[in-house]
Amino acid sequence: MAKFRGLHVVAGIAAMMVAAVLGSAMKLNNTSIVMSSCVVFVAVAMWTDSALTRRRREALTLQQAASLKQATSLEPGRDTASTPHQDISHQPQAGQDESSGGQSKHEGNAA
């Protein structure tokens, strides 16, 4: 069964019904009841949609972080703490003369 993605619409309709009942209890005319109910529908539907999206995004991020942690912890023979890290940013490239100051002919000023 697929996930139901219309919860924000259902919340908006429920808020619209409550606004219509309150408008009738306040003895508003029909035009103002419909207008206020539509405004409430849009406001509640947009707020509910953003809240649900934020919650789904956080849950997905936590789920991805947990799966990444599990995937990296299950790799046998890979110990990242004991492997030495080498800084290769200052090593000359193959075919590059070290007397040029570490820059290739394409780097630096054009003049």
Side-chain angles (χ1 to χ4, degrees):
M1 187 171 164
K3 290 183 179 180
F4 179 67
R5 297 281 181 160
L7 191 59
H8 64 289
V9 175
V10 173
I13 291 173
M16 190 177 194
M17 296 292 190
V18 170
V21 170
L22 289 175
S24 295
M26 293 182 350
K27 306 277 191 217
L28 297 176
N29 61 12
N30 290 337
T31 304
S32 60
I33 291 174
V34 170
M35 187 177 69
S36 64
S37 297
C38 290
V39 168
V40 167
F41 170 80
V42 171
V44 170
M46 289 180 69
W47 177 81
T48 306
D49 186 40
S50 69
L52 289 173
T53 302
R54 189 176 338 117
R55 183 174 292 173
R56 286 181 185 138
R57 189 179 306 130
E58 288 172 359
L60 184 63
T61 304
L62 290 175
Q63 182 182 14
Q64 287 174 344
S67 66
L68 179 63
K69 183 177 179 182
Q70 181 184 11
T72 57
S73 68
L74 292 179
E75 294 179 355
R78 185 168 192 204
D79 188 16
T80 57
S82 65
T83 57
H85 297 287
Q86 296 178 353
D87 185 18
I88 61 170
S89 62
H90 298 293
Q91 294 179 353
Q93 297 176 355
Q96 183 180 7
D97 189 15
E98 287 193 29
S99 64
S100 65
Q103 292 183 351
S104 69
K105 61 181 177 182
H106 299 292
E107 292 181 26
N109 294 333

